[in-house]
Amino acid sequence: VRLIEAANLPAADLGGTSDPYVVATLTGWNKYGDEWSMYGWRDAQTSLVKPKTLSPRWYEDKYFAVPRHDAWLRVEVFDKDNQSTDDLLGSVEIQLKDLSHVGAVKRWFPLTVPGHADTAAAIHLYLHYDVSALGEALSMVWAEQPKATNKTPFDANRFYANAIELQKELEPYLQFASSLEKVLAWKSDKSRRCFLLALVAAYFVDYFCELLHLSI
């Protein structure tokens, strides 16, 4: 990421100027909507402060290792203030997967300025995305899917009705298993063989009747 320059920044100081600097952050969100941690994949780098200007020029290069296909680059411009908290002058978020097939982009990106709906503030960036084919493929495979937010609540009545229907479907198989268990417990080999032959014959007769019905 090359931070080239910015233009039309809002004035944050009493003299009608600002002391702008850039914070470039490689970030993303997990499936629960939480942003990556600074102790994980998120990485932030800061530029030098350019005093008393609304059109700063940096020409600084920042390098990031992109761990996932769904990563974003957040570029924020702040006003350096030694007496209080630094003011946000503008920001932009760029989805890096849009650059995976482009490689390099050099253009002006409009900045969103807090409290200013209509503004001409912008930052000039050069983005060079060097893609590893294997790393890109693995990152897409391992990308976290968004967590479903419209889950159907548990319905006890529906669960009970489905259980009853399942029991009806399984009833013939349960009866057959019970009969087979009794057969296997018989001590008479002759009667056991006869019953098994009767079960097999009944099965094939029923199957034959279904085939005959379908053929007619």
Side-chain angles (χ1 to χ4, degrees), residues 42-100:
R42 189 167 58 166
D43 183 16
Q45 300 187 35
T46 306
S47 74
L48 296 175
V49 177
K50 298 298 178 179
K52 301 187 182 303
T53 179
L54 300 181
S55 300
R57 295 184 177 182
W58 291 283
Y59 293 100
E60 296 182 31
D61 292 339
K62 306 296 179 182
Y63 298 91
F64 298 92
V66 181
R68 297 179 65 97
H69 177 75
D70 51 354
W72 288 70
L73 177 68
R74 179 189 299 131
V75 180
E76 299 169 295
V77 183
F78 290 92
D79 171 60
K80 184 65 177 178
D81 196 331
N82 295 323
Q83 306 299 325
S84 62
T85 305
D86 295 349
D87 298 319
L88 178 62
L89 301 179
S91 63
V92 62
E93 292 184 346
I94 304 164
Q95 194 167 14
L96 295 184
K97 70 178 182 180
D98 295 339
L99 306 177
S100 59

Side-chain angles (χ1 to χ4, degrees), residues 93-124:
E93 292 184 346
I94 304 164
Q95 194 167 14
L96 295 184
K97 70 178 182 180
D98 295 339
L99 306 177
S100 59
H101 302 294
V102 179
V105 172
K106 182 181 180 182
R107 69 180 182 89
W108 287 89
F109 291 87
L111 293 174
T112 300
V113 179
H116 296 76
D118 187 13
T119 178
I123 188 167
H124 196 193

Side-chain angles (χ1 to χ4, degrees), residues 145-211:
Q145 300 300 318
K147 182 182 179 181
T149 56
N150 56 345
K151 288 186 176 180
T152 304
F154 177 74
D155 189 340
N157 293 329
R158 182 181 293 274
F159 177 80
Y160 179 75
N162 290 338
I164 296 298
E165 290 297 324
L166 179 61
Q167 183 182 14
K168 292 179 180 179
E169 292 289 336
L170 294 178
E171 189 66 29
Y173 303 99
L174 295 175
Q175 291 178 356
F176 176 80
S178 177
S179 301
L180 184 61
E181 183 180 4
K182 294 177 181 178
V183 171
L184 296 176
W186 284 351
K187 295 182 179 180
S188 174
D189 292 337
K190 183 177 179 180
S191 60
R192 181 166 51 193
R193 286 196 297 268
C194 291
F195 186 77
L196 286 174
L197 289 174
L199 287 177
V200 173
Y203 173 77
F204 279 107
V205 168
D206 185 60
Y207 182 67
F208 176 77
C209 291
E210 289 187 9
L211 289 178

